[in-house]
Amino acid sequence: MGVEEAEKQMTKRIEVARAPAPLEEYVKHFDALFGKSNQREGFRRYVEGLLLPSERHKTLTGLMNTEPVVGAQLPRAQALQWFLSEADWDERKMQASRLQLLREDPTTAPTSKGVLVIDETGDRKDGHKTAHVGRQYLGKLGKVDNGVVSVTSLWADEEVYYPVDFEPYTPAHHFEKGEDDPAFRTKLTIALELVDRASTQGIPFRAVVADNLDARGSHLENRTQNTQAGLCARPQALS
């Protein structure tokens, strides 16, 4: 065996259980981002779980289609827990690769005819140890409750739409100086960052659309003017 052939054998990736054919064609584009076979395996099981027709797809047991609580101790559930919380893959590189695939596909490539939608999403969460958790308004519930909220961006035109990015909102009580802490960011500040991020990621849009903005929405309007985009908003409560 020659040196070149030996090197190929040494660097050959370990095969993992494939996802169903259509999904496998998609997830294999991300294989280069994972240095270990159990990471590639975990990613496939995670995406499969997200596509399950289940209302529990945001829980560990729901993703793995196991019984609540007890099912979390099963090996396959523990493997997914490791992938999501401890494996050393780079979420930002994953996002960049996902957006690149969307830009390269003629059916999903963003154009200046689309808009960038800024919104927030929240889920109820028990306890106080989870990152970003706190009592705050959760739109899905229509009331203040204990949970986690993220600010999101989505690109849309008349034919297609897809998420661009997101950033968790961390309530002021997590910071030593509260809202006066230099590290604290309002939801509006995060929204501005998402608009800038979309521009630098090569996502064109003719307007920024936001459902909830307070009087400080003028800052967002100024930012959209810098990107040659307009602002469409219903003034309310993104703060």
Side-chain angles (χ1 to χ4, degrees), residues 25-138:
E25 288 300 308
Y26 176 73
V27 297
K28 70 181 184 181
H29 290 288
F30 302 92
D31 279 351
L33 301 178
F34 302 114
K36 300 177 181 178
S37 60
N38 54 357
Q39 293 176 346
R40 299 194 301 277
E41 175 90 25
F43 179 60
R44 282 161 170 78
R45 305 295 81 83
Y46 175 57
V47 178
E48 287 174 356
L50 291 175
L51 296 176
L52 285 174
S54 168
E55 295 182 357
R56 297 192 298 121
H57 66 276
K58 287 188 178 180
T59 67
L60 181 64
T61 54
L63 287 165
M64 296 309 298
N65 199 25
T66 65
E67 290 295 323
V69 185
V70 176
Q73 304 306 315
L74 294 177
R76 65 179 187 273
Q78 289 295 303
L80 183 60
Q81 174 70 35
W82 172 83
F83 171 74
L84 293 173
S85 62
E86 299 181 40
D88 59 352
W89 52 278
D90 191 319
E91 179 266 337
R92 296 317 306 175
K93 290 182 179 179
M94 175 73 70
Q95 282 281 61
S97 294
R98 181 181 66 86
L99 292 176
Q100 181 178 351
L101 288 174
L102 290 167
R103 289 194 301 266
E104 292 175 349
D105 188 331
T107 64
T108 57
T111 70
S112 57
K113 294 181 180 180
V115 298
L116 189 70
V117 182
I118 301 295
D119 203 353
E120 64 175 86
T121 181
D123 292 285
R124 190 180 181 283
K125 183 71 176 178
D126 291 327
H128 304 282
K129 295 182 179 181
T130 302
H132 316 293
V133 73
R135 287 193 60 80
Q136 52 196 316
Y137 182 78
L138 304 178

